[in-house]
Amino acid sequence: MVRACSSCKVDKAAVKRPKTGKAVCKKCFFGLFEDEVHQTIISNKLFSKGERVAIGASGGKDSTVLAYVLSLLNRRHSYGLDLFLLSVDEGISGYRDDSLAAVQRNKVEYGLPLLVVDYKRLYGWTMDQIVQVIGRKSNCTFCGVFRRQALDRGATLLKADKVATGHNADDIAETIFLNFLRGDFPRLSRCVDAVTGRGSELPRVKPFKYTYEKEIVMYAYFKQLDYFATECVYSPNAYRGHARQFLKDLEAKRPSAIVDVIHAAEQFRFPEPGNPDVAMPVQRKCERCSYISSQRLCKACILTDSLNNGTAAQVNRFSTNKFSSNE
Amino acid sequence: MTTLELQFGGGLEALFSHKKQMEVRVPDESVRTIKDLIEYIRTTLIRERHDMFISQGTLRPGILVLVNDVDWELVDAREYVLKEGDHISFISTLHGG
C-alpha cells in the first residue's frame, strides 16, 4: 500500500524526492519543485525586473521544463521578465531537426517568441559537413565551441540581457568531476556558479542548479510536457559518459551525493587572475569577431579558419586539451 | 498469465521500435516481480542495444520506473509484486536536454 504524502498528509505519495528522501504527492511535488527553483532564482539574484531573458531551448527535457517553469514563475511572482526561446541548429540531420520540431510546439504552447540561429549561416559549415571533414573523433569540440558562441549571438539579436540554460544538478556535478579529472581549475571554479559572467554583457544563469534530473523528468512526465529525447548521432562523448555513469551509480546508493558534490565545489577557492603563482586566463575580445576571448582570436574563429584552410583534421588531433569543451 | 500495460519514454522507446505503449501478457509463475519483468523485457522484448536498459545485470541507473504513476521507490522497487492490469512506465533520464 502506498503511504500518504509527507507534506499534505492527505493524498497518496507519488514521488520519493532524491534530495530529502521524502515521499510526496503529485500536487505537493509540483509546488515544492517550483518553489525550490524560485528560491534559487531569488537567493542567487538571477534576474532583475524588466530584463529580457533568452532561454536556451533544445527541445529536450531540461530546457522544455525550464521554459514551462520560468513562464509560470514569471507570472506567479511577477518577475517582470520578457522571455524568449533561443535554439541553435547545428545542422545534424536526424537529430536536431526532430528536436527543433519540439521547440516549435513549445513556442505555440507557452506563447513564447522563438529565434533559431544556425551554424551554416554563422560559420559557413553544418556539423554534418564538419564531421565529413574531421571524422567522428572530437567533433564535440567544434560543436561545443560553436554552440556557446551561437547562443550568445542569438541572444544579442534578441537584445537579451541574460541567457538561461537548463543545466541541472546532475549536469553540474558531472561537470565538476570532469573539470577535476582534467585538472582544469579555471573551469572548476566557474562551473558551479549559478551565474557566470556576472557584470559582462551577457551573463548566463542556471535556475536548475539544485534541481535533480530525476525530478525534472518526473515533472515533465506528470505534467505531460512535450519534449524530445534522443542521443546526438555523433556524440558518444565517452569521457563525460564515464563521469555520468559514475555519478548515477553513486546516486543509486546515496541520492544526496549529487547535491553534496555541488556544495563541496562551492567551497573551492582559486587565486584571482594576475596572481603570478597561477596564471588564470585574462578575458579580452577576439580581434576578428569581437567575441569574448582569452587569446588574440576566439576559439570559434580559430576552428572556422582550420576548416576553411583544410587543417581542421590536424587541429582536431591536438585539440583535446586545449579546447576540450565548454564546461 | 498477467496482463500489463508497459510505457517507455525519454528515448527508451527507440529500443521497442519507437512504440511508447504496449500491452503484454506475461506468465505469472516466472514473472512475479518488477525484477522478473525487467529480465523478461531484456530477453523477450529487446533485440539490440541491451546496455541502454541493463547495466551489470540490473536496470541501468538513470532509468525511472513508475507503477501506476507512483515512483517505484515507494512500492518496494524491484520486489514489487505485479498485479493484473498494472501500468508500468520506464523513463530514461539519460538523454541531453
Side-chain angles (χ1 to χ4, degrees):
Chain A
M1 196 50 230
V2 182
R3 60 190 113 157
C5 171
S6 69
S7 186
C8 68
K9 325 271 188 222
V10 178
D11 290 333
K12 196 176 79 167
V15 182
K16 186 171 180 190
R17 303 202 65 203
K19 228 186 291 185
T20 58
K22 292 218 162 103
V24 292
C25 70
K26 266 189 221 179
K27 208 173 139 210
C28 291
F29 169 63
F30 294 149
L32 290 163
F33 181 98
E34 291 152 9
D35 278 353
E36 286 178 10
V37 177
H38 175 60
Q39 284 313 320
T40 303
I41 289 171
I42 297 304
S43 59
N44 293 280
K45 300 189 174 63
L46 297 194
F47 305 117
S48 311
K49 217 175 185 86
E51 279 182 338
R52 295 166 67 91
V53 178
I55 302 169
S58 68
K61 59 185 164 50
D62 302 301
S63 58
T64 296
V65 176
L66 182 66
Y68 178 88
V69 171
L70 276 188
S71 317
L72 180 102
L73 294 176
N74 191 31
R75 287 192 303 271
R76 182 181 293 166
H77 300 287
S78 309
Y79 292 161
L81 302 176
D82 273 328
L83 299 174
F84 301 86
L85 297 172
L86 171 58
S87 294
V88 177
D89 184 352
E90 299 93 342
I92 303 175
S93 41
Y95 168 63
R96 194 47 96 205
D97 34 7
D98 293 336
S99 62
L100 284 173
V103 181
Q104 292 285 354
R105 294 193 295 272
N106 292 342
K107 165 192 160 179
V108 177
E109 215 165 312
Y110 308 153
L112 298 175
L114 164 68
L115 173 69
V116 182
V117 289
D118 67 89
Y119 282 9
K120 181 71 181 173
R121 228 175 312 166
L122 286 176
Y123 310 110
W125 293 76
T126 66
M127 269 316 286
D128 285 340
Q129 293 171 324
I130 292 172
V131 171
Q132 273 183 11
V133 172
I134 66 165
R136 288 189 168 225
K137 196 176 156 268
S138 297
N139 59 71
C140 298
T141 299
F142 283 76
C143 200
V145 169
F146 283 171
R147 185 179 318 100
R148 184 175 183 83
Q149 194 175 112
L151 266 182
D152 281 358
R153 292 191 184 282
T156 305
L157 286 173
L158 288 170
K159 299 192 173 59
D161 300 295
K162 273 169 191 160
V163 174
T165 59
H167 291 102
N168 60 46
D170 298 55
D171 294 332
I172 292 170
E174 205 176 285
T175 304
I176 292 165
F177 268 134
L178 277 182
N179 289 331
F180 187 80
L181 294 170
R182 287 177 184 139
D184 189 341
F185 56 86
R187 286 199 177 105
L188 186 54
S189 60
R190 270 201 312 263
C191 71
V192 75
D193 294 338
V195 185
T196 48
R198 213 189 269 277
S200 75
E201 283 163 38
L202 199 57
R204 291 187 169 221
V205 301
K206 298 169 188 157
F208 283 168
K209 177 184 167 185
Y210 296 110
T211 309
Y212 272 58
E213 192 156 64
K214 172 181 171 178
E215 296 205 337
I216 290 172
V217 173
M218 285 281 188
Y219 190 92
Y221 176 84
F222 288 136
K223 291 257 178 187
Q224 297 184 311
L225 301 185
D226 180 5
Y227 68 91
F228 182 77
T230 189
E231 214 54 75
C232 172
V233 289
Y234 299 132
S235 94
N237 202 344
Y239 204 57
R240 178 173 274 275
H242 287 308
R244 186 178 188 77
Q245 193 61 47
F246 176 56
L247 203 68
K248 286 284 157 199
D249 291 344
L250 286 179
E251 186 191 8
K253 297 268 184 299
R254 198 173 60 91
S256 70
I258 287 170
V259 77
D260 292 341
V261 168
I262 294 175
H263 287 319
E266 284 172 341
Q267 303 307 317
F268 293 157
R269 291 284 179 277
F270 296 97
E272 288 295 311
N275 181 327
D277 294 338
V278 188
M280 300 280 278
V282 179
Q283 300 290 1
R284 51 181 176 169
K285 287 200 167 177
C286 171
E287 286 177 13
R288 189 178 308 153
C289 73
S290 46
Y291 184 76
I292 194 156
S293 173
S294 56
Q295 295 159 49
R296 199 173 60 81
L297 291 180
C298 73
K299 288 173 191 171
C301 283
I302 294 172
L303 292 177
T304 309
D305 280 355
S306 75
L307 287 166
N308 291 336
N309 66 25
T311 57
Q314 262 173 303
V315 169
N316 186 26
R317 207 178 321 141
F318 297 114
S319 70
T320 35
N321 291 324
K322 245 174 127 184
F323 301 140
S324 43
S325 71
N326 261 296
E327 290 87 35
Chain B
M1 301 291 269
T2 315
T3 307
L4 303 170
E5 182 75 33
L6 303 184
Q7 183 180 347
F8 301 100
L12 277 182
E13 62 272 25
L15 296 177
F16 306 90
S17 331
H18 294 277
K19 263 200 264 176
K20 291 192 173 183
Q21 301 256 8
M22 63 174 83
E23 200 181 273
V24 291
R25 282 168 60 77
V26 297
D28 43 11
E29 60 283 0
S30 60
V31 183
R32 210 178 62 84
T33 62
I34 292 200
K35 190 173 152 196
D36 303 331
L37 176 65
I38 291 166
E39 183 59 18
Y40 176 85
I41 291 172
R42 185 182 75 83
T43 51
T44 58
L45 297 181
I46 302 181
R47 279 177 200 89
E48 46 171 20
R49 292 192 288 167
H50 292 84
D51 57 322
M52 274 182 70
F53 193 69
I54 296 284
S55 159
Q56 298 173 349
T58 181
L59 189 71
R60 188 169 160 186
I63 296 176
L64 307 180
V65 185
L66 294 99
V67 178
N68 302 320
D69 270 4
V70 171
D71 191 345
W72 75 333
E73 293 181 44
L74 297 175
V75 288
D76 300 334
R78 289 171 181 71
E79 305 307 324
Y80 172 82
V81 178
L82 297 162
K83 290 170 194 66
E84 176 69 21
D86 273 347
H87 182 103
I88 315 285
S89 310
F90 295 90
I91 314 287
S92 175
T93 65
L94 299 170
H95 294 287

